[in-house]
Amino acid sequence: MKTILSVDDSPSIRQMVNYTLESAGYAVVSAADGEEGLAQALARPCDLVLTDQNMPGMDGLALIRALRALPAYQKVPILMLTTESSDQMKAAGRAAGATGWLVKPFEPQRLLDVVRRVLP
């Protein structure tokens, strides 16, 4: 079973993401911000990371940079799931190492389609 790390400061978004992914057969580990997400990623291998951008403390871009600095996460797909949709933010995400970008609100089927496309 593939494990996905979901990082978002919104409990309702985490709950919706977790339900969507778990219903499709994925194991999901959650974190409420970038620091907790990094700790979760260090505690166990994850096959994919899904992160929000705007969170208290460590934001999504900082989390991606921290994960990409770790040998175990250099090739792991990392998707941004955020309200940010500007070309400038997407470029910053690519520069940090994001694999893809999804804009909230999201359609559960669209999330699953993207996850299935990027998971090896």
Side-chain angles (χ1 to χ4, degrees), residues 24-64:
Y26 297 104
V28 180
V29 178
S30 295
D33 58 40
E35 286 93 357
E36 186 181 347
L38 183 58
Q40 292 281 8
L42 291 170
R44 68 185 51 78
C46 296
D47 300 294
L48 182 144
V49 177
L50 186 64
T51 183
D52 187 15
Q53 165 54 20
N54 299 313
M55 299 179 285
M58 179 186 283
D59 66 20
L61 292 176
L63 173 61
I64 292 171

Side-chain angles (χ1 to χ4, degrees), residues 11-111:
S12 61
I13 294 292
R14 283 197 313 273
Q15 184 177 26
M16 188 171 184
V17 167
N18 292 3
Y19 176 78
T20 299
L21 296 172
E22 289 171 350
S23 295
Y26 297 104
V28 180
V29 178
S30 295
D33 58 40
E35 286 93 357
E36 186 181 347
L38 183 58
Q40 292 281 8
L42 291 170
R44 68 185 51 78
C46 296
D47 300 294
L48 182 144
V49 177
L50 186 64
T51 183
D52 187 15
Q53 165 54 20
N54 299 313
M55 299 179 285
M58 179 186 283
D59 66 20
L61 292 176
L63 173 61
I64 292 171
R65 288 186 200 102
L67 290 172
R68 290 298 188 214
L70 301 171
Y73 283 90
Q74 289 181 353
K75 295 184 178 180
V76 170
I78 302 176
L79 300 173
M80 293 289 290
L81 178 61
T82 178
T83 57
E84 299 282 350
S85 62
S86 71
D87 290 340
Q88 182 180 7
M89 281 302 295
K90 290 178 182 177
R94 282 191 297 275
T99 307
W101 199 278
L102 294 163
V103 177
K104 296 178 192 171
F106 68 96
E107 290 290 328
Q109 188 58 52
R110 170 85 174 123
L111 174 62

